[in-house]
Amino acid sequence: MSADLRAILKRTVLTLGFAALAAPIAGQWVNHPTRGLPRTADGKPDLSAPTPRTRDGQVDLSGIWLSERDPKGTPSGIEGNVAPRYLINIMTDLKPDEVPFQPWAEALYKQRGANLFRDNPMIRCLPAGVPRLDAYPHPYKIIQTPELIVVLYEAQTIFRQIFVDGRALPKDPEPSWMGYSVGRWDGDVLVVETAGFNDQTWLDGSGHPHTEAMRVTERFRRVNVGRMEIEIVIDDPKAYTKPLKYTQPQVLLPDTELLEYICAENAKPVGPGPK
Amino acid sequence: MRSHRLFALGVAAAAALFSTTADGQWLNYPTPGTPRLPDGKPNLSAPAPRTSDGKPDLTGVWRGAGPLYRFNIAQDLEPGDVQPWAEELFLKRLHDFRKDSPLSHCLPVSVPFHNFFNMTRIVQTPALTLVLYESPNSPHRTVFTDGRELPKDPNPTWLGYSIGRWEGDTLVVTTTGFNDSGWLDSAGHPQTESLRLTERIRRRDFGHLDFDMTIDDPKVFTKPFTIKTTRLLAPDTDLLEDVCENESDRAHMTGDSGVRVSPALLATYAGVYELGPGRQVAFTVVSDMLWVRGLNEPKLPLLAKSDTQFMSTANPLGYEFVKDAQGNVTQVIVRGGANGTQKGVRTAASPRR
């Protein structure tokens, strides 16, 4: 995807809270060729080449990724972009009456909608959190080392650490926006367990809530050079009567770089919502 | 356990702007690969580790480079080393109680500030090195070591564009492409788009980084200068999440109090005061302001709270001057220091400027 397109994407006014986002228009190194990327005879990235591996034979997830736009989606917003499938509503595959809400969670969800999503933490430049960032329309970069996998998010220039050194999840963690993540390899799939969340983030743009009891399991499967799937399971019995599961595909962005994106730079007061 | 960090947050007036987690997790998790003494403690003087390609491995969690320059990056400079407009802006920001600090807007402050402040995790790979800052607001930097050049006409950013190259065992990181919104220190020295930052990082042994920063911003300083620091490894711990979510507190920042003390009165306070054997604090008058130096505190201008009471960025509780029956200034009371309230007795020495 070109830098221009990314800039356009960022400027796109997606409803449900994205109006508050703004970002720099241009970046640098956005055309820098990615090292080690397999290429076709004409020099273009060979995105269908086999999944790369590290020196020790493990699947290598390293690269700049972007959640795939919904293949069934329709253009929306002023500039007619297609959002990732689970950006706005992680329950999009369910009928409204199939959402396994606990009653209080349904009431809060409806209240957020009635308030025109003005309480979306994103509007105040707070982190989108996990797993919402897996379906976010901003690139992120995975750097894989044997004991630590780091995810650098372009959105809000925040990072996430996934420890793969065998440690267990903390027992009584201080609630956090991004949670605490540990990963292990199940064959070629990286299984990441995350817990220790605060209850402030929204699971999607439409405001599905969660509690501090949420536990997220993400299964990262790199299909080939250019494609990865993240299967997401959200288990939060205090908010939902059964686990939620969806798979958000990711596409590699070759020959580019992350841009700096400091949300608070363009923060504006949030206007009053309907009472 | 993390009291040093809470203290660091607590000393400044800006502390109210932060919310921070009181405790974190994995703070006692043994870092894999750490050489240990027989009693199990990390052997911080063991040789620096190396990567499989033989380069020194800078990977680890490192403490901030310390408060001295974080409060005033220019403290080793003479007033004439700072361009007049920059000095004027610095003093204005100070009088305004730093209400427009990037910190008070939940923005990154500057790369030097982040280097001085709190923990940093470095993750080194052959083609790039990550710099993950704990706070404020947990941003990340990438230093490319794949041979690329700095971008020619970059879009200005808070954290700049960084490339690194090895000079022997020293990683030399050059960063340009900054915006002019950053503050080089918490007191408010500005940076401009002409800033070129060079960090020279050498892992002296397992537990110590020689960490030098050269600030070259000709629009702000008349000449480049280098700050030499040592950063200590923080073994068996981890970064905390630090999300700035109290921007609403900005409304409580009042700005300039308007309190000014005449240079003539300030001159009566100038001098060296002894708090104890070998422990002195000195006050000078520069640019119609009283400056403090000593007690391991950074050289900083003081803001007047009244005719006799003053505060600094680093010490909001501050300093109070006391006169004797004849009206001579004989003592200073220092509050809020590490040793609680202390009295300093005026000596005959004159302060160096």
Side-chain angles (χ1 to χ4, degrees):
Chain A
M1 187 168 65
S2 74
D4 282 353
L5 188 54
R6 274 161 68 186
I8 288 166
L9 197 79
K10 286 183 177 181
R11 282 186 280 118
T12 299
V13 180
L14 291 168
T15 48
L16 304 173
F18 273 76
L21 292 182
I25 302 300
Q28 295 302 320
W29 287 333
V30 288
N31 296 312
H32 189 88
T34 303
R35 224 166 92 129
L37 200 64
R39 301 196 180 260
T40 55
D42 59 359
K44 286 193 180 139
D46 183 2
L47 298 178
S48 58
T51 307
R53 292 187 180 265
T54 61
R55 222 180 298 184
D56 55 359
Q58 198 63 260
V59 163
D60 191 353
L61 303 178
S62 296
I64 295 180
W65 298 94
L66 178 68
S67 51
E68 183 190 54
R69 287 178 277 183
D70 185 357
K72 299 179 214 162
T74 48
S76 65
I78 293 171
E79 294 175 19
N81 279 312
V82 178
R85 182 161 181 78
Y86 301 98
L87 171 68
I88 302 299
N89 184 4
I90 61 166
M91 311 290 186
T92 192
D93 300 332
L94 303 178
K95 296 192 180 107
D97 61 352
E98 290 174 344
V99 177
F101 276 125
Q102 296 286 7
W104 72 266
E106 180 163 24
L108 178 57
Y109 174 73
K110 287 183 172 163
Q111 188 198 338
R112 287 173 174 175
N115 276 337
L116 299 183
F117 315 102
R118 71 186 293 269
D119 299 322
N120 188 337
M122 246 183 50
I123 294 176
R124 287 175 292 131
C125 293
L126 294 167
V130 174
R132 195 175 172 194
L133 282 162
D134 291 342
Y136 230 48
H138 302 282
Y140 60 96
K141 185 179 201 171
I142 296 180
I143 293 103
Q144 181 173 325
T145 75
E147 288 169 344
L148 175 67
I149 294 172
V150 180
V151 187
L152 306 179
Y153 295 99
E154 183 170 286
Q156 299 167 2
T157 312
I158 202 167
F159 63 84
R160 173 186 182 195
Q161 302 186 85
I162 301 168
F163 291 96
V164 282
D165 57 5
R167 71 181 68 190
L169 281 172
K171 284 206 174 53
D172 182 24
E174 181 73 28
S176 63
W177 291 85
M178 302 294 283
Y180 302 80
S181 297
V182 294
R184 66 186 159 79
W185 289 95
D186 179 5
D188 286 347
V189 176
L190 177 71
V191 183
V192 177
E193 302 273 352
T194 307
F197 295 103
N198 66 26
D199 58 4
Q200 302 296 301
T201 60
W202 291 16
L203 294 176
D204 53 29
S206 65
H208 283 103
H210 68 86
T211 73
E212 291 183 2
M214 175 167 78
R215 200 180 167 100
V216 175
T217 306
E218 294 155 288
R219 298 176 64 87
F220 292 76
R221 190 170 70 90
R222 189 167 185 171
V223 182
N224 55 25
V225 159
R227 203 171 165 78
M228 179 167 70
E229 287 177 352
I230 309 177
E231 181 203 88
I232 298 150
V233 176
I234 299 170
D235 189 7
D236 184 357
K238 289 186 177 170
Y240 302 96
T241 57
K242 54 184 181 186
L244 315 166
K245 183 172 165 180
Y246 55 99
T247 297
Q248 174 66 57
Q250 314 286 323
V251 293
L252 187 83
L253 299 187
D255 301 341
T256 188
E257 268 308 331
L258 300 182
L259 310 180
E260 183 180 273
Y261 172 18
I262 306 295
C263 176
E265 202 161 22
N266 297 304
K268 299 285 187 297
V270 181
K275 294 294 174 200
Chain B
M1 178 171 50
R2 290 279 144 161
S3 58
H4 64 286
R5 284 200 244 175
L6 292 177
F7 175 72
L9 291 175
V11 287
L17 300 164
F18 283 98
S19 86
T20 186
T21 47
D23 198 358
Q25 296 301 320
W26 288 329
L27 296 180
N28 295 309
Y29 187 83
T31 307
T34 305
R36 309 228 167 228
L37 298 165
D39 64 358
K41 287 190 179 145
N43 180 3
L44 299 179
S45 56
R50 293 196 175 256
T51 60
S52 55
D53 57 357
K55 294 271 191 295
D57 191 351
L58 308 178
T59 298
V61 176
W62 299 94
R63 296 189 184 281
L68 220 49
Y69 297 91
R70 165 159 65 85
F71 285 111
N72 180 5
I73 202 164
Q75 65 172 300
D76 293 341
L77 304 187
E78 299 301 321
D81 296 339
V82 183
Q83 302 283 9
W85 75 269
E87 181 74 3
E88 192 180 324
L89 180 58
F90 168 67
L91 294 176
K92 179 182 186 311
R93 286 173 171 176
L94 209 80
H95 278 303
D96 283 342
F97 286 91
R98 300 171 294 134
K99 76 179 173 70
D100 295 323
S101 162
L103 209 51
S104 73
H105 297 247
C106 292
L107 293 165
V109 183
S110 67
V111 170
F113 181 86
H114 283 282
N115 284 340
F116 290 125
F117 195 56
N118 283 0
M119 302 281 193
T120 299
R121 183 191 285 277
I122 297 179
V123 181
Q124 183 176 324
T125 79
L128 56 84
T129 292
L130 302 183
V131 184
L132 309 178
Y133 292 115
E134 179 178 74
S135 61
N137 237 1
S138 304
H140 57 78
R141 273 170 81 197
T142 299
V143 178
F144 291 99
T145 49
D146 56 2
R148 72 180 66 186
E149 300 285 318
L150 282 169
K152 287 210 170 49
D153 182 24
N155 196 33
T157 58
W158 290 87
L159 299 165
Y161 302 79
S162 301
I163 55 170
R165 64 175 202 284
W166 289 94
E167 279 183 11
D169 282 351
T170 301
L171 180 66
V172 181
V173 179
T174 308
T175 308
T176 59
F178 291 104
N179 65 24
D180 57 7
S181 305
W183 290 26
L184 291 173
D185 50 34
S186 61
H189 279 106
Q191 72 181 33
T192 72
E193 294 182 6
S194 64
L195 172 63
R196 186 180 183 94
L197 178 72
T198 308
E199 295 153 288
R200 299 178 61 88
I201 311 170
R202 190 177 77 93
R203 191 167 186 167
R204 193 195 311 159
D205 55 20
F206 197 83
H208 300 84
L209 278 190
D210 294 326
F211 193 92
D212 299 347
M213 270 191 283
T214 300
I215 313 281
D216 184 3
D217 189 342
K219 290 188 176 160
V220 179
F221 303 105
T222 55
K223 58 186 178 191
F225 61 99
T226 299
I227 294 165
K228 292 182 182 296
T229 62
T230 299
R231 300 183 68 168
L232 305 177
L233 184 77
D236 303 342
T237 190
D238 189 26
L239 304 184
L240 305 181
E241 180 183 272
D242 174 33
V243 171
C244 181
E245 42 188 308
N246 286 343
E247 205 196 354
S248 52
D249 288 352
R250 194 173 7 137
H252 301 296
M253 300 193 79
T254 54
D256 194 340
S257 67
V259 178
R260 297 287 190 279
V261 176
S262 74
L265 184 53
L266 289 181
T268 67
Y269 300 142
V272 178
Y273 298 73
E274 191 167 82
L275 298 157
R279 293 174 49 76
Q280 293 183 330
V281 57
F283 298 90
T284 52
V285 180
V286 181
S287 308
D288 290 349
M289 292 186 84
L290 198 61
W291 294 61
V292 67
R293 171 153 229 174
L295 298 175
N296 294 320
E297 289 208 29
K299 182 172 86 177
L300 280 171
L302 298 180
L303 285 176
K305 295 201 276 191
S306 69
D307 271 355
T308 56
Q309 291 180 299
F310 298 82
M311 60 174 281
S312 79
T313 314
N315 183 0
L317 292 177
Y319 310 87
E320 180 173 5
F321 293 94
V322 181
K323 292 176 185 172
D324 64 9
Q326 286 73 45
N328 298 315
V329 179
T330 53
Q331 286 189 348
V332 65
I333 298 168
V334 182
R335 298 191 175 88
N339 299 315
T341 300
Q342 292 181 291
K343 255 182 205 168
V345 179
R346 191 164 197 164
T347 71
S350 352
R352 81 186 161 89
R353 292 182 55 119

